[in-house]
Amino acid sequence: MAPTTLLAGFRSAIAALTLGVLLTGTGCSSDNPAETTKITPATNGINTVVGPMKLADMLILSHGADQPGRIMGTVFNTSAKDAVVTISGASGSTVSIPVKANGETSLAQPPAMMLDPTTGSPGSLVTVRVSEDSTGKSAELQLPVLDSTLPEYQSYMPATPGAGTASGTPSPTQPGNTTAPSGTGSPTSNPSPSP
């Protein structure tokens, strides 16, 4: 009986060792979460929240620090009130972006929201102040400055001096709504006057 018991214990030990080697070799363990549980945003801009406003993929497109910079991204209003988001650059220029209640405004739509000048070269971060009027909340953010190196931004780049500018009205929309709401609500750009 002793050899049989010893043989059964030996088989159990080999089975446990084999299972341990298989689990270790495949990377499966209780302290290694599956890669699908990690969420990494596929974005070049920043995402943040200011009061009831969610700012997604916010960045600035510019040819250089002394050139105009176009603000890109989407502003979502999670409140039941219409609101205006104001972005102020270090140079003193500002843009005002109206966002309908429970709606969104895409800054990829014309007219282009411009800070003039950008004050940051492509590849740098520019500090801006973002404020919203529905609750009075504000925050300083650092937005990345990009140029037309990435092909998806080429058609959104600010016009070079002497070229024409985009015109039109952006479309603040409510969830599920594919048409622009009636009434006013065009974002405005207010660069500060030169001294």
Side-chain angles (χ1 to χ4, degrees):
M1 285 227 138
T4 306
T5 305
L6 182 61
L7 187 57
F10 184 66
R11 286 182 182 154
S12 296
I14 289 176
L17 182 61
T18 303
L19 181 60
V21 168
L22 288 174
L23 289 176
T24 303
T26 61
C28 296
S29 69
S30 62
D31 61 344
N32 281 342
E35 286 296 315
T36 56
T37 63
K38 297 177 185 175
I39 299 173
T40 305
T43 174
N44 294 309
I46 64 144
N47 300 317
T48 192
V49 175
V50 178
M53 302 298 157
K54 292 183 179 180
L55 287 77
D57 200 16
M58 300 297 289
L59 55 89
I60 298 173
L61 297 176
S62 181
H63 296 287
D66 58 343
Q67 300 292 317
R70 181 175 183 176
I71 300 174
M72 294 291 291
T74 305
V75 182
F76 298 89
N77 183 351
T78 63
S79 76
K81 296 190 325 186
D82 292 355
V84 175
V85 173
T86 302
I87 300 177
S88 305
S91 65
S93 64
T94 63
V95 297
S96 296
I97 306 160
V99 190
K100 293 288 186 184
N102 297 309
E104 65 186 71
T105 298
S106 170
L107 302 180
Q109 301 298 317
M113 297 289 96
M114 307 293 285
L115 292 179
D116 191 5
T118 300
T119 70
S121 301
S124 69
L125 295 172
V126 171
T127 301
V128 297
R129 175 158 290 280
V130 177
S131 56
E132 59 84 25
D133 68 345
S134 68
T135 63
K137 301 280 185 186
S138 66
E140 280 195 356
L141 306 177
Q142 287 194 316
L143 299 184
V145 180
L146 302 177
D147 60 15
S148 59
T149 302
L150 296 172
E152 60 265 31
Y153 295 126
Q154 289 176 357
S155 63
Y156 297 104
M157 290 298 294
T160 53
T165 58
S167 62
T169 303
S171 303
T173 59
Q174 296 196 5
N177 189 358
T178 57
T179 60
S182 60
T184 61
S186 298
T188 58
S189 178
N190 302 315
S192 64
S194 300

